Amino acid sequence: MAIYSRYEPHRKKKSKSPWIILFFVLLFSYLGYNYRKEIYFLFAKDQSVRAEKTKEKIIELWKSGNLKEKDIEDFQSITNTYAEKDPLDPVAFHLVGRSLFWNLNRIGIHFDHDSLILHLGSEFKDFLGNSVLAESTLNQIFWNVRTAESLTNSSFNDWENNRLLLFLCETHRNVKRPLVLIKEYGNINQDLLSPEFKSVYIWLLTFNTMQAGDAQGLEKLISITKDPNYKAGIQFTPREESFLKGLGKYYKKDYVGALSLLRQAKTENPDRITETSIITEATIFHMQNLTQKGIDLLEDFYLATNKKNAEIPILITKMISEKPGSKTKLEILSKKE
């Protein structure tokens, strides 16, 4: 077969398509990674609407007792996205704080009747149980609700709920005196509070009013809980009323009135009310230079309850150190040495 001098075997041209496709894949990957938030926000639905709907869903689940951890996590994720998309929207930061509030519920911190009675006379940190998670959560709530307040010159739909969360966080921070907190947050409109916050408000108001020694304020609170239209859930028995009023008078330094009411609150049942009433009564005796009478009272209760409260020997030791000559039949001073 003859081969012409200008003949060249046919060579198939290499296609450039794979390289072009690879280039665009890398380009879109780069853009997707660096602008992933912007792309997500571009295609996401209106975050404010989504966050509000989720908030309402959370409230209904809480009412029915079906609120799950996954629901809380979803709410937190949505509110964080909302705040990232609209960093100047006060509602976004309020809802972030609102979503964090449910973390307290998850770790067993409830603002109900029992926890209030149990911790009256205690510090707020005792109520939290020295929980690092609770401390961290309250600090985060405070930052977000304070940001929400600072971003607006007028109230928004959840303004009263935002004030309630501020009241909670300020109580935890313990920077302002209880009387100051009552003046700042004692006028929150309860009718505008979300259902899950109604009992929280009464809890905080009672706790701070008692700490402030506002006996008149406590009586007003007790009367509020007896109103037929009252819906916060925290109500007091006659014995608990005497206990509350007695502690209020104690903090107000009306020791005679406090002793009378606290003795009415005591029973043969050595529960927290009886224990706190006896400790407060003994403390009043000590302050009135009747230290031995206070020590005797504490000793009898301590021995009758099988030495359960380890704080009582510590209190007796303190009383004896402040009032030399006082005696105890407990073997506590020698153990301390």
Side-chain angles (χ1 to χ4, degrees), residues 319-337:
M319 287 180 173
I320 292 175
S321 68
E322 293 175 351
K323 298 290 183 181
S326 302
K327 299 179 181 179
T328 177
K329 56 190 173 187
L330 301 180
E331 297 179 4
I332 53 177
L333 294 181
S334 60
K335 286 183 179 180
K336 184 180 179 182
E337 294 172 355

Side-chain angles (χ1 to χ4, degrees), residues 51-115:
E52 285 291 336
K53 287 183 177 179
T54 307
K55 179 191 75 176
E56 296 303 323
K57 176 186 174 183
I58 289 286
I59 294 172
E60 292 305 315
L61 288 171
W62 171 77
K63 283 181 179 179
S64 63
N66 294 317
L67 184 60
K68 301 292 190 297
E69 190 169 325
K70 182 65 167 58
D71 301 312
I72 297 172
E73 290 173 351
D74 289 344
F75 186 34
Q76 291 174 346
S77 176
I78 291 168
T79 55
N80 282 325
T81 301
Y82 180 14
E84 289 178 13
K85 183 181 179 183
D86 299 303
L88 296 179
D89 189 338
V91 177
F93 286 94
H94 164 73
L95 291 178
V96 172
R98 188 86 166 260
S99 70
L100 290 167
F101 169 80
W102 293 106
N103 279 345
L104 299 176
N105 189 70
R106 291 163 74 181
I107 60 178
I109 295 177
H110 304 291
F111 297 88
D112 54 18
H113 167 273
D114 292 342
S115 67

Side-chain angles (χ1 to χ4, degrees), residues 2-10:
I3 300 177
Y4 296 98
S5 60
R6 292 185 178 183
Y7 172 78
E8 293 182 4
H10 174 72

